[in-house]
Amino acid sequence: MELSVKKLSNDATIPTRGSAEAAGYDLYSAHDLEIDGNGKGIAKTNIAVAIPEGHYGRIAPRSGFSWKNHTDIGAGVVDSDYRGDVGVVIFNHSSQKLSVSKGDRIAQLILEKISTPMVVEYIESELPSTVRGEGGFGSTGR
């Protein structure tokens, strides 16, 4: 299995892993970006990826970047059939402006296996029963 990557500009950086056992591939900003305090922005990586079939790419925070800058990452799904520029949604939870520089490691891409079973609608009969049934929030007593 391989993660195929294409640079969409000379400003792009191919994803890297911080160590041999790292779960994610570090993603790099291809451009300078400023995000207002308590604001959000999209950092383009200028890379396109081909996620292996049966997987998706989850864009997750990098702990160091998030800790130092009071940020979080959102909208983090890259489908295996997407071939456009991978963008990283950055939420700035600080009241101060955040400056992201070209080449900064801003997030990580983690490949995860998925299951996509066929959807079957039950119209005339009930769904298969369980002991829990319709018990919602707090119904298991834990």
Side-chain angles (χ1 to χ4, degrees), residues 91-103:
F91 293 100
N92 179 6
H93 293 298
S94 169
S95 59
Q96 305 298 314
K97 185 175 286 194
L98 171 68
S99 293
V100 176
S101 298
K102 175 183 162 184

Side-chain angles (χ1 to χ4, degrees), residues 11 27-32 43-45 100-104 106:
D11 296 319
L27 296 176
Y28 298 79
S29 180
H31 308 280
D32 294 341
K44 293 293 191 172
T45 63
V100 176
S101 298
K102 175 183 162 184
D104 282 353
I106 52 174

Side-chain angles (χ1 to χ4, degrees), residues 65-142:
F65 183 82
S66 291
W67 174 253
K68 292 174 189 170
N69 297 296
H70 307 280
T71 61
D72 199 6
I73 301 300
V77 172
V78 181
D79 294 314
S80 64
D81 60 349
Y82 178 67
R83 294 298 183 270
D85 192 344
V86 173
V88 176
V89 177
I90 302 174
F91 293 100
N92 179 6
H93 293 298
S94 169
S95 59
Q96 305 298 314
K97 185 175 286 194
L98 171 68
S99 293
V100 176
S101 298
K102 175 183 162 184
D104 282 353
R105 294 181 300 162
I106 52 174
Q108 59 183 319
L109 178 68
I110 300 172
L111 301 185
E112 296 186 353
K113 290 184 180 182
I114 57 171
S115 177
T116 54
M118 180 177 60
V119 175
V120 177
E121 181 183 9
Y122 280 68
I123 297 173
E124 299 295 326
S125 62
E126 295 293 317
L127 291 172
S129 64
T130 65
V131 173
R132 181 176 180 175
E134 294 182 15
F137 297 108
S139 67
T140 62
R142 296 186 188 132

